């Protein structure tokens, strides 16, 4: 079942397509599961109109940092007496996915005024980014599964829907004939002033992408992928995709303390300062890139320390090319080598202790 269908089915009332949230008249719910205040909604509409009319005002919204979680910490709580142990396990699996693949740190709320609260409520829904208060991630019965929870957490981290990206027309075609006009507004593109994709390419495999028949009136396709091979892929992500993970790593500057490196292809520098590359497995979408790290420091040192033959404790090579790189002189120029090729670089015995 596609992500949008699961969310739609979990909405128990017939208002799931409407703009009004059943929780509060000052809240809007759009695209099935995005909560925003009425003021935010109006401001967004205005930004969209301005852009359509050629005005490009830079606004400080999600694009800026005001909705990010400071220090990458996201306090959360789970409403007591609401979820079964199976539900709670799904929530924890989704949280662990974010904790593992990004530098975000979800941890139980300890008095913070801004936090996420997993609760039963208005269908399945979440605000975009940090609101500054205790903000709900509403999980109605049908939404208490990992992929949907991962998706709703994505909104709270700062993600919009993939199919509403400002550049989506290059990748999908919306089919208005199959969409009731009353709900067509759910396919508006985000104003460019409100979204920063950090250069991450459009992603058919994103957990934030709705399926082919979202909001369909007749069961016909409403989101046609321009690359037909992805028509049955959209909306089916089992969890975070490679580009979902990459976006969070860039948005939250996860490699901020690493030395600069260029990663091959679409690769990016992970929080462990190693290049991460995509796989073909949606259940395990990320792997360490293969091959030589590209060193971008400009040191002129050419000394080539002889590989050490001693190995003790954690002092060992963690890449089979360490010896080769060491002989080529990378030990003195690459922080990667100091961390992952300690043996070949002869940096054992606590001589180097980088984080
Ligand atoms: Zn959503």
């Amino acid at each position: 079942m596609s992500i949008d269908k699961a969310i739609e089915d979990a909405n128990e009332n017939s208002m799931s397509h409407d703009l009004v949230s059943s929780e509060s008249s000052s809240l809007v719910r759009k695209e099935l599961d995005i909560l925003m205040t009425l003021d935010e909604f109006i401001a967004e509409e205005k930004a969209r109109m301005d852009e359509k009319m050629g005005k490009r005002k830079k606004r400080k919204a999600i694009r800026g940092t005001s909705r990010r979680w400071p220090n990458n910490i996201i306090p959360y709580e789970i409403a007591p007496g609401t979820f079964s142990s199976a539900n709670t396990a799904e929530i924890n699996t989704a949280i662990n996915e974010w904790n593992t693949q990004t530098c975000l740190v979800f941890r139980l709320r300890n008095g913070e005024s801004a936090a996420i609260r997993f609760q039963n409520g208005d269908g399945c829904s979440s605000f975009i980014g940090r609101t500054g208060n205790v903000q709900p991630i509403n999980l109605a019965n049908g939404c208490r599964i990992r992929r949907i929870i991962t998706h709703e957490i994505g909104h709270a981290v700062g993600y919009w829907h993939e199919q509403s990206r400002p550049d989506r027309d290059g990748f999908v075609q919306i089919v208005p004939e199959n969409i009731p006009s009353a709900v067509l507004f759910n396919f508006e593109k985000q104003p460019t002033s409100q979204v920063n994709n950090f250069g991450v390419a459009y992603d058919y495999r994103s957990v934030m992408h709705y399926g082919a028949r979202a909001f369909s009136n007749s069961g016909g396709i409403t989101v046609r992928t321009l690359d037909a091979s992805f028509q049955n892929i959209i909306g089916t992500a089992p969890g975070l995709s490679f580009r979902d993970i990459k976006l969070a790593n860039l948005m939250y500057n996860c490699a901020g303390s690493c030395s600069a490196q260029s990663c091959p292809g679409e690769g990016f520098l992970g929080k462990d300062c190693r290049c991460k590359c995509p796989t073909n497995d949606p259940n395990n979408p990320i792997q360490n890139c293969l091959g030589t790290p590209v060193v971008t420091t400009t040191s002129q040192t050419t000394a080539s320390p002889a590989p050490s033959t001693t190995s003790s404790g954690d002092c060992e090579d963690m890449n089979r090319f360490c010896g080769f790189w060491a002989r080529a002189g990378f030990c003195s120029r690459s922080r990667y080598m100091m961390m992952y090729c300690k043996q070949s670089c002869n940096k054992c015995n606590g001589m180097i202790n980088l984080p």
Side-chain angles (χ1 to χ4, degrees), residues 239-253:
L240 294 173
S241 69
F242 173 79
R243 289 176 186 166
D244 290 333
I245 295 167
K246 180 177 179 177
L247 178 58
N249 275 267
L250 296 176
M251 187 183 281
Y252 284 91
N253 195 23

Side-chain angles (χ1 to χ4, degrees), residues 33 151 155 161 210:
D33 71 337
H151 174 107
H155 286 316
H161 288 136
Y210 274 176

Side-chain angles (χ1 to χ4, degrees), residues 3 7 31-34 151-152 155 160-161 208 210:
I3 284 167
I7 292 171
E31 298 173 29
L32 293 180
D33 71 337
I34 293 177
H151 174 107
E152 299 304 336
H155 286 316
W160 299 90
H161 288 136
M208 306 310 292
Y210 274 176

Side-chain angles (χ1 to χ4, degrees), residues 92-152:
N92 286 328
T93 303
I95 286 174
N96 286 342
E97 187 178 8
W98 283 97
N99 276 340
T100 304
Q101 304 286 24
T102 74
C103 56
L104 289 166
V105 179
F106 288 78
R107 65 180 189 210
L108 284 171
R109 184 184 177 207
N110 185 18
E112 294 91 347
S113 54
I116 286 172
R117 178 179 169 86
F118 294 94
Q119 63 179 34
N120 190 33
D122 188 12
C124 313
S125 53
S126 175
F127 286 89
I128 306 278
R130 175 185 182 270
T131 68
N133 304 308
V134 177
Q135 61 189 85
I137 286 185
N138 293 305
L139 299 174
N141 248 312
C143 292
R144 297 169 184 176
I145 48 177
R146 171 214 169 183
R147 56 203 292 259
I148 306 296
I149 301 167
T150 299
H151 174 107
E152 299 304 336

Side-chain angles (χ1 to χ4, degrees), residues 302-308 323 325-332 344-347:
T302 53
S304 304
S308 164
W325 293 330
R327 286 190 292 280
F330 284 102
C331 289
S332 54
S344 287
C345 290
N346 209 11
K347 294 296 181 189

